[in-house]
Amino acid sequence: MEDMKILRIVIAALLVLGLVALAGIGKPDAAGGAEDQRTEGITVTGVGHVDAVPDEAEFSFGVTTKGASARIALRENAEQMQRLIAALKAAGVAKRDLKTQDVSVGPDYEPSRRGYTASNTVSARIRDLDRAGAILDAASRAGATNVYGPSLTRVDRDGFEQKALEQAVENARERAVGLADAAGIKVGRVTSIVESTDGGVVYREARVLDAAATNVPIEKGTEKITASVTVTFAID
């Protein structure tokens, strides 16, 4: 009798466990269900831009020399480049704003010539654009055979980019409200925002080949700094 009683208890326990297991079948997993939930909202892209007048310029000044040997061509090039750098400093370019970009020497491949060609290029940042013409003239007189630029930029770009971003967010909200009105719904809080900036640097190129270049005009123009944001708004 005692064995029968124990057997009944075991059978009853197994039945209870089976019912519990069956009750769990078909119920969605809590974590999985949370992941599958979709957040409703309106996603739009807003754009903003501001115009900034450049206040700095960067030029590249090059010296090219020829010689019967690589050593002669390079020596002559070094002497001319030293004069050029001294002239740039005397014209107002700070030492920290001068940087060598390229030095090269190799055979002269012109059919009518035999010898070597040496080249040296230095970049110069001009922080006072009103001095740009005088600096170009000084470089030309000092023997610069090539002048490339200017690359015009704005020093305080961060402030202009911030203004462009603010305009972009406002533009995104206006677009979202327009879509919501058309759909008969209301725009709620921002649930996500992704930002990207694309500031276009005004880039001009000039070339000076002889010492006759005086009072070279430099037009500053404007630099359009653009910001773009993708914003998702909740629906109320």
Side-chain angles (χ1 to χ4, degrees):
M1 294 293 293
E2 187 68 23
D3 292 339
M4 291 295 293
K5 184 176 181 181
I6 293 173
L7 181 61
R8 290 194 188 98
I9 293 173
V10 171
I11 293 173
L14 291 173
L15 289 173
V16 171
L17 290 173
L19 290 173
V20 171
L22 289 172
I25 296 175
K27 288 187 175 181
D29 180 75
E35 292 177 356
D36 292 338
Q37 291 179 354
R38 295 183 179 180
T39 302
E40 294 183 348
I42 300 175
T43 301
V44 294
T45 297
V47 178
H49 66 82
V50 294
D51 291 331
V53 178
D55 55 6
E56 282 190 353
E58 185 170 319
F59 285 87
S60 293
F61 299 95
V63 171
T64 300
T65 55
K66 300 180 183 294
S69 68
R71 184 177 181 180
I72 294 174
L74 194 58
R75 183 179 61 197
E76 177 66 21
N77 189 277
E79 292 174 355
Q80 289 194 26
M81 180 54 73
Q82 288 172 1
R83 289 195 295 270
L84 173 59
I85 291 175
L88 290 172
K89 291 179 179 178
V93 181
K95 181 179 180 180
R96 65 189 177 99
D97 293 328
L98 291 171
K99 181 173 64 176
T100 297
Q101 292 181 307
D102 177 73
V103 178
S104 64
V105 61
D108 192 338
Y109 292 106
E110 292 185 19
S112 60
R113 288 178 175 270
R114 286 189 178 182
Y116 290 81
T117 299
S119 297
N120 193 331
T121 304
V122 63
S123 68
R125 180 175 293 277
I126 300 175
R127 299 182 184 273
D128 182 2
L129 285 181
D130 292 334
R131 294 282 304 156
I135 292 172
L136 286 171
D137 183 57
S140 177
R141 293 180 182 278
T145 54
N146 295 283
V147 178
Y148 298 98
S151 174
L152 296 170
T153 59
R154 180 79 190 192
V155 177
D156 53 343
R157 283 181 57 87
D158 291 346
F160 287 93
E161 288 179 355
Q162 181 61 36
K163 292 180 181 179
L165 282 171
E166 292 172 0
Q167 290 186 12
V169 173
E170 183 62 28
N171 179 247
R173 181 173 292 278
E174 292 174 356
R175 293 168 67 90
V177 169
L179 288 172
D181 289 345
I185 54 180
K186 292 185 178 181
V187 172
R189 65 184 182 86
V190 173
T191 59
S192 72
I193 183 168
V194 179
E195 172 264 335
S196 64
T197 58
D198 180 19
V201 177
V202 178
Y203 201 96
R204 296 182 177 86
E205 183 170 304
R207 181 183 292 262
V208 179
L209 297 177
D210 54 48
T214 58
N215 298 321
V216 178
I218 302 296
E219 296 296 334
K220 298 178 182 179
T222 57
E223 177 183 357
K224 187 179 293 294
I225 299 176
T226 303
S228 176
V229 293
T230 300
V231 186
T232 298
F233 296 89
I235 296 175
D236 286 345

